[in-house]
Amino acid sequence: MKFIEAFDRAKKRVQHLKGFDTELPIFEIIFAKSKIVKNKISFAAMRNTKIDFNFHDFSREVFDYYKHQKPLSQITHETKFLDLTLVVDEKIFEPRADTECWTNAIIQMLKLEKKNYKVLDLCAGTGCIGLAIKRHVPFCDVTLVDINQKAIDNIKTNATNLNLKVKTICADYLKFIKQDSEIFDVVVCNPPYLGVDELHQNLIRYEHKIAFNNSKNEMEFYHNILTNRSLITKEGGKIIFEFGYSQKVMMTNLLKQLKLLDQSFFLRDLSGTYRCVVISV
């Protein structure tokens, strides 16, 4: 079977599905599976060449993406985050575009301040936030923490591939805060923040449940980190959180309760929704 035939047959199988809105993921799956076709230019040149992968596996993966909303990174095992190409191991949380938005803003802030900050990335997943900071602000010293050893292994793979020197620690975030004696200038954290009622099966079928929800209280991670902030953050330091689409009011109330609202500002995501808060402590 030729590349163009494989593409057309896979597209025909899924184009009637509700989830079909673009054919780009079909190309991305081809590029991941093929050793000779890695972009649209090589696809055009090799369109009449015999495919170098199993068509049935390819067709199933295309179907899983469109029908079952399987994350593309769990099929291709890589994703783009800003200008980084990251490996995404099985069941590890795929970085989202909204996280790119505020991560880039934080990178620009750190570049302007031009200080040798010690940066902590809590609940690090693939390491996307901490590694992006290290890539673009190389004078920062970056530590990444995650409770999942598989995530830590994933971070180490990405750091090696990107030739970035960072520190990784496998630990529960709260135990790390209370037991580690290190103090940081900047803490970034994209914690599990979905409510139990938002945790539908499609989310946890392909990515680990603890990446989405690890408590009945959606604000628990934020509350625990902020009430223990003196254990990990220098006076005058910053704590930066991502939070859910519908959680700005809850976050605002928490900051009011802890008398931190006046020293905080919010950042919007790509759709204009507030999704990140920067807190000076």
Side-chain angles (χ1 to χ4, degrees):
M1 184 182 298
K2 300 174 183 178
F3 277 95
I4 187 62
E5 293 171 338
F7 177 89
D8 287 342
R9 285 179 60 177
K11 180 180 176 180
K12 185 176 181 180
R13 186 185 180 197
V14 299
Q15 63 185 0
H16 68 284
L17 296 175
K18 184 178 179 180
F20 184 87
D21 57 356
T22 173
E23 61 190 25
L24 290 177
I26 304 176
F27 281 112
E28 292 295 336
I29 296 170
I30 288 175
F31 302 156
K33 296 186 76 65
S34 175
K35 294 181 180 178
I36 59 175
V37 171
K38 291 298 181 183
N39 51 52
K40 285 189 176 181
I41 294 174
S42 57
F43 179 86
M46 308 287 286
R47 57 186 286 136
N48 291 315
T49 302
K50 184 179 179 180
I51 60 173
D52 59 343
F53 50 80
N54 184 283
F55 173 77
H56 295 292
D57 290 344
F58 162 67
S59 180
R60 185 192 71 249
E61 290 170 353
V62 170
F63 186 80
D64 283 345
Y65 174 82
Y66 288 104
K67 177 66 176 178
H68 302 301
Q69 292 83 53
K70 185 173 184 178
L72 188 60
S73 66
Q74 290 296 324
I75 297 170
T76 64
H77 295 293
E78 69 174 33
T79 193
K80 293 286 187 181
F81 187 83
L82 297 177
D83 61 341
L84 307 183
T85 298
L86 299 174
V87 171
V88 183
D89 289 339
E90 186 177 359
K91 298 291 279 186
I92 302 302
F93 182 74
E94 177 186 18
R96 269 51 170 184
D98 292 334
T99 305
E100 282 185 304
C101 191
W102 67 260
T103 299
N104 186 56
I106 299 307
I107 287 170
Q108 302 313 313
M109 178 190 76
L110 295 175
K111 281 183 174 180
L112 286 173
E113 295 185 6
K114 296 181 180 179
K115 294 182 180 179
N116 297 330
Y117 282 145
K118 293 175 69 175
V119 178
L120 172 65
D121 182 358
L122 282 175
C123 309
T126 59
C128 59
I129 302 169
L131 293 175
I133 290 172
K134 185 64 179 177
R135 163 63 70 85
H136 291 281
V137 199
F139 44 83
C140 284
D141 180 22
V142 178
T143 298
L144 302 99
V145 175
D146 199 282
I147 194 172
N148 185 354
Q149 183 59 53
K150 289 184 178 180
I152 294 298
D153 294 340
N154 198 164
I155 294 168
K156 289 179 178 178
T157 297
N158 285 323
T160 299
N161 291 347
L162 296 166
N163 197 26
L164 297 174
K165 187 176 181 181
V166 296
K167 183 179 179 181
T168 57
I169 298 173
C170 184
D172 171 78
Y173 81 106
L174 192 54
K175 288 182 179 177
F176 173 81
I177 290 171
K178 292 184 175 182
Q179 296 176 3
D180 191 88
S181 58
E182 198 166 359
I183 300 293
F184 297 87
D185 301 286
V186 177
V187 176
V188 295
C189 183
N190 181 11
Y193 54 66
L194 287 188
V196 175
D197 58 339
E198 298 176 276
L199 201 64
H200 56 80
Q201 190 60 38
N202 274 342
L203 283 176
I204 60 175
R205 179 181 295 161
Y206 302 113
E207 297 170 287
H208 205 293
K209 177 180 177 292
I210 63 171
F212 297 100
N213 174 281
N214 207 23
S215 172
K216 293 181 180 179
N217 179 358
E218 297 161 62
M219 290 288 110
E220 180 176 315
F221 272 72
Y222 308 109
H223 182 273
N224 287 342
I225 293 170
L226 290 174
T227 53
N228 289 282
R229 60 190 181 276
S230 64
L231 300 178
I232 53 165
T233 316
K234 293 180 180 178
E235 185 175 350
K238 291 180 175 63
I239 297 177
I240 300 142
F241 291 128
E242 179 172 317
F243 54 85
Y245 290 97
S246 60
Q247 293 176 340
K248 182 174 185 285
V249 172
M250 285 187 284
M251 178 60 72
T252 300
N253 289 338
L254 175 62
L255 294 172
K256 280 182 181 178
Q257 175 191 334
L258 298 176
K259 296 179 170 55
L260 290 169
L261 185 59
D262 289 344
Q263 55 216 64
S264 306
F265 64 91
F266 292 87
L267 297 174
R268 298 177 189 268
D269 66 11
L270 296 168
S271 68
T273 304
Y274 286 112
R275 294 295 307 284
C276 173
V277 63
V278 181
I279 308 158
S280 298
V281 297

